[in-house]
Amino acid sequence: MTARATDVAALAEGVAAGERRALARAITLVESGRADHRAQALDLLARLRAEGSPARGRQALRLGLSGTPGVGKSTFIESFGLMLTGQGKRVAVLAVDPSSARSGGSILGDKTRMEQLSRDPLAFIRPSPSQAQMGGVARRTREAVALCEAAGFDLVLIETVGVGQSETVVAELCDLFLLLLAPAGGDELQGVKRGIMEMADLILVNKADGDLKPAALRTMADYAGALRLLRRRPQDPEGFPKAICVSAVEREGLAAAWDEMQALAAWRQAGGHWAARRAAQARHWFEEEVRQGLLAALAQEPARGMLERLGQAVTEGSLTPEAAAARLLDRLA
Amino acid sequence: MTARATDVAALAEGVAAGERRALARAITLVESGRADHRAQALDLLARLRAEGSPARGRQALRLGLSGTPGVGKSTFIESFGLMLTGQGKRVAVLAVDPSSARSGGSILGDKTRMEQLSRDPLAFIRPSPSQAQMGGVARRTREAVALCEAAGFDLVLIETVGVGQSETVVAELCDLFLLLLAPAGGDELQGVKRGIMEMADLILVNKADGDLKPAALRTMADYAGALRLLRRRPQDPEGFPKAICVSAVEREGLAAAWDEMQALAAWRQAGGHWAARRAAQARHWFEEEVRQGLLAALAQEPARGMLERLGQAVTEGSLTPEAAAARLLDRLA
């Protein structure tokens, strides 16, 4: 894709009009690593934010959703998404895939996992792209979220698999963070790290159906107890964070879960916490972008060649790591 | 401490002579954040590596040791360390404390936990310092290890608590990585992450004594089975990584564990894997030092003030994160 300025203007119009094909093209543009595409992507985002653009100021509810493989994330998104599109809401699903940074593969956001939702005209599902550093993943996802908001989606669901780093990225992108768990058997520890628990606004214990229902209820009670032990956060009304049961397969508890999310969102909007969180997130991403920008110099000449030559000297033992680093930093300064 | 050049020369002599007081002062110097101390620390390290220094080229066996709280890490270090000092070996114990980066507290390397070893003239125990970023922690520990090697220690044990990031730091600092575990009951999962398992050269199941002995043997067998499923690494002889039982309290199995470590170390030395690992680690730390050096510019003027002013504009919504970052990076370039 090589878009001229006129094309970018047309693309911005298409996105603002909520056209799915334009949105898909726009996301491809922000995902591109090419310098000319990058310039076009920034131009596109600026146009959508510019005064006079119908997209300006549009906000979606950004829902982060994390859960380890096997908890039923795809089924939940399918059922939950269809419930919302059934109410006339427009739902976008994006994925932050931590594995793609390493393996180049894409395990999330697979449309075939959400067959009905992917064919729903009110839904937009974007598989996660392959390759890139976590810094790049964060920026791309952030910009994809902005494009979905500009396209007028009511809800943007940002899904990730529970492995730590990617959850931190998602937590810094969303308004509400949902943690999806499977029922735990007996004394079994699910190994949910405290840091992840502390990010959660709502814990959803899935598979509360059939034989697993008692276990789901017990797990919900365990987590409700654990959540009560956490320090109360200023952005939470009484009773939050909360643990509830759902069944994605039986499509039960989803409306109640949505009620909880809406109640929490409304409370945070009224109290100014919503805007404060978005402002803090914007600042976080500004600083992160600066850090990534500084480090990007290392992939360019002259740093790149020096890194290679000095790195070789360090490997051979003719320079210490500290001395080699000092020499490179001196030359870059 | 403000040392003149002559003092640094005297300090280098003291360290090279293996004086514990000089070593303690030298580590304090590398831990300091002051710019003049930093220059002296680099001078000190260079003197110890210089031709003509008796410390030049000295190498210790660097053992990384990770284990979650409660597995008996301190008791193991005490028993294992005393066994080695009983053989006339000089043993240094350093700690990488991930919590100190956040809370400012120091939970590891507490001398009172290793009462006998801390009074042993052949041992040197250094509590982990408080405050600093993980980047700073890594550099300090790396330099402390180098000082212990220069002081002629035979073994440097680098201990950490099992929480992910700090283990990666320790793995990049050590020749052998030990994972200490407690016996697991029944089907209980200990939640050792695959990434940590893959770092381990030797898994030590502690508390193989009294009532826990059967559980320890079972846990050992479970981990031995899990280790066999991992891909064989070129740096491992047949049978490694290995899981064995020890009892730090009863001081049993420690000699066998030490035999395994020595066998593995000898095999790696003979095959060139030892030197290759140290070379790769040096290169890793060179690149890391460069990254940290670049990011350090953000704490200095003019970047610091710009970061604050532009960050404020982003928080208020008058600039997007991307536009603010681009402005700052432009000015720094």
Side-chain angles (χ1 to χ4, degrees):
Chain A
M1 174 180 36
T2 47
R4 293 184 309 277
T6 49
D7 294 335
V8 173
L11 197 55
E13 268 178 50
V15 170
E19 290 166 16
R20 291 157 53 119
R21 230 181 119 250
L23 177 58
R25 278 190 62 211
I27 295 180
T28 302
L29 189 63
V30 301
E31 284 173 355
S32 170
R34 272 177 46 182
D36 56 333
H37 288 173
R38 188 78 212 130
Q40 290 168 8
L42 290 176
D43 181 19
L44 173 67
L45 289 165
R47 282 171 190 270
L48 290 167
R49 286 181 187 123
E51 255 180 272
S53 165
R56 182 181 164 94
R58 279 182 186 160
Q59 284 198 347
L61 171 61
R62 303 176 185 172
L63 281 182
L65 175 70
S66 175
T68 47
V71 301
K73 236 168 23 264
S74 314
T75 315
F76 173 79
I77 296 173
E78 168 103 337
S79 298
F80 185 67
L82 287 171
M83 179 189 77
L84 295 172
T85 57
Q87 297 170 13
K89 297 212 158 41
R90 297 183 65 212
V91 176
V93 180
L94 304 171
V96 173
D97 179 358
S99 78
S100 65
R102 271 163 282 151
S103 63
S106 169
I107 57 162
L108 298 170
D110 184 350
K111 287 191 188 189
T112 61
R113 298 177 311 141
M114 305 165 197
E115 215 184 322
Q116 268 190 276
L117 190 64
S118 66
R119 282 185 275 109
D120 191 318
L122 289 175
F124 176 86
I125 301 182
R126 180 74 178 194
S128 91
S130 51
Q131 7 142 337
Q133 301 289 310
M134 191 51 81
V137 170
R139 178 202 275 170
R140 260 179 351 215
T141 311
R142 197 164 75 243
E143 293 179 344
V145 169
L147 290 169
C148 291
E149 288 195 320
F153 280 83
D154 300 295
L155 205 105
V156 181
L157 213 152
I158 312 152
E159 136 183 62
T160 192
V161 71
V163 296
Q165 208 191 347
S166 65
E167 271 146 329
T168 313
V169 169
V170 170
E172 288 286 354
L173 283 174
C174 69
D175 301 312
L176 303 182
F177 192 83
L178 313 178
L179 184 56
L180 197 69
L181 298 175
D187 287 340
E188 186 195 324
L189 287 172
Q190 285 207 60
V192 174
K193 279 180 277 165
R194 190 187 169 90
I196 305 295
M197 285 273 286
E198 287 172 345
M199 286 179 199
D201 293 307
L202 199 57
I203 288 183
L204 303 171
V205 181
N206 192 22
K207 307 190 182 181
D209 45 50
D211 289 353
L212 284 174
K213 191 152 189 175
L217 288 166
R218 208 170 42 232
T219 301
M220 176 187 79
D222 286 350
Y223 277 97
L227 288 173
R228 273 194 294 274
L229 297 178
L230 295 179
R231 196 168 20 177
R232 173 89 175 271
R233 303 173 302 184
Q235 71 271 30
D236 289 330
E238 190 66 39
F240 279 93
K242 197 172 270 190
I244 60 173
C245 278
V246 297
S247 165
V249 168
E250 302 288 340
R251 308 203 172 173
E252 274 171 20
L254 301 177
W258 176 234
D259 286 346
E260 297 287 1
M261 295 176 214
Q262 284 183 295
L264 180 56
W267 193 88
R268 287 194 181 161
Q269 275 167 335
H273 302 289
W274 176 286
R277 178 172 176 147
R278 288 212 169 189
Q281 288 174 338
R283 180 149 192 166
H284 167 86
W285 291 118
F286 156 61
E287 294 180 1
E288 186 57 26
E289 193 81 358
V290 168
R291 283 190 290 267
Q292 296 295 331
L294 280 181
L295 295 178
L298 295 176
Q300 309 289 329
E301 296 301 344
R304 190 178 169 161
M306 286 165 64
L307 205 61
E308 184 49 42
R309 282 192 305 278
L310 290 166
Q312 194 55 40
V314 169
T315 305
E316 288 162 4
S318 57
L319 268 178
T320 66
E322 293 77 17
R327 199 175 293 186
L328 197 156
L329 291 166
D330 259 1
R331 295 276 292 276
L332 287 187
Chain B
M1 173 180 31
T2 48
R4 293 184 309 276
T6 49
D7 293 336
V8 173
L11 196 55
E13 268 178 48
V15 170
E19 289 167 18
R20 292 156 52 118
R21 235 184 113 247
L23 177 59
R25 278 190 60 211
I27 295 180
T28 302
L29 189 63
V30 302
E31 283 172 356
S32 170
R34 275 177 45 182
D36 55 334
H37 287 173
R38 189 76 213 131
Q40 289 168 9
L42 291 175
D43 182 18
L44 173 66
L45 289 165
R47 282 171 191 270
L48 290 167
R49 286 178 187 127
E51 255 180 273
S53 165
R56 183 181 163 93
R58 280 182 186 162
Q59 284 198 347
L61 172 61
R62 303 177 184 170
L63 281 183
L65 177 70
S66 175
T68 48
V71 299
K73 234 166 26 261
S74 313
T75 314
F76 173 80
I77 296 173
E78 168 103 338
S79 299
F80 185 66
L82 288 171
M83 179 189 76
L84 294 171
T85 57
Q87 297 171 10
K89 297 212 156 41
R90 298 183 65 210
V91 176
V93 180
L94 304 170
V96 174
D97 179 358
S99 78
S100 65
R102 271 162 283 153
S103 65
S106 169
I107 56 162
L108 296 170
D110 184 350
K111 288 190 189 191
T112 60
R113 296 178 311 142
M114 306 164 196
E115 216 185 320
Q116 268 190 277
L117 191 64
S118 66
R119 283 186 274 108
D120 191 319
L122 289 175
F124 177 85
I125 301 181
R126 181 73 178 194
S128 91
S130 51
Q131 3 137 345
Q133 302 289 310
M134 193 50 81
V137 170
R139 177 203 275 172
R140 260 178 353 213
T141 310
R142 197 164 75 242
E143 294 180 344
V145 169
L147 290 169
C148 292
E149 288 196 318
F153 280 83
D154 299 295
L155 205 105
V156 181
L157 211 152
I158 311 152
E159 115 174 90
T160 192
V161 71
V163 295
Q165 206 191 349
S166 65
E167 271 146 330
T168 313
V169 169
V170 171
E172 287 286 355
L173 283 174
C174 68
D175 301 311
L176 303 183
F177 192 82
L178 313 178
L179 185 57
L180 198 69
L181 298 175
D187 288 338
E188 186 193 324
L189 287 171
Q190 287 206 60
V192 174
K193 278 179 277 164
R194 189 186 169 91
I196 306 295
M197 285 272 286
E198 287 173 343
M199 286 180 199
D201 293 306
L202 199 58
I203 289 183
L204 302 171
V205 181
N206 192 21
K207 305 190 183 181
D209 45 50
D211 289 351
L212 285 174
K213 191 152 190 176
L217 289 166
R218 208 169 44 231
T219 302
M220 176 187 79
D222 287 350
Y223 277 97
L227 287 172
R228 273 193 294 273
L229 297 178
L230 295 180
R231 194 167 24 177
R232 173 89 174 273
R233 304 174 302 184
Q235 71 270 30
D236 289 330
E238 189 65 39
F240 279 93
K242 197 172 270 191
I244 59 173
C245 278
V246 297
S247 165
V249 169
E250 302 288 339
R251 307 202 173 174
E252 274 171 21
L254 301 178
W258 176 233
D259 285 346
E260 298 287 0
M261 295 176 214
Q262 284 182 294
L264 181 55
W267 193 89
R268 287 193 180 162
Q269 275 167 336
H273 303 290
W274 176 285
R277 177 170 176 148
R278 288 212 170 189
Q281 287 174 337
R283 181 149 191 167
H284 168 86
W285 291 119
F286 155 62
E287 294 180 1
E288 185 58 25
E289 192 81 0
V290 168
R291 283 190 289 267
Q292 296 295 331
L294 279 181
L295 295 178
L298 295 176
Q300 309 289 328
E301 295 302 344
R304 190 179 169 160
M306 286 164 65
L307 205 61
E308 184 50 40
R309 283 192 305 279
L310 289 165
Q312 194 56 40
V314 169
T315 305
E316 289 162 3
S318 58
L319 269 178
T320 65
E322 293 76 18
R327 200 175 292 186
L328 197 155
L329 291 166
D330 259 1
R331 294 276 293 276
L332 288 187

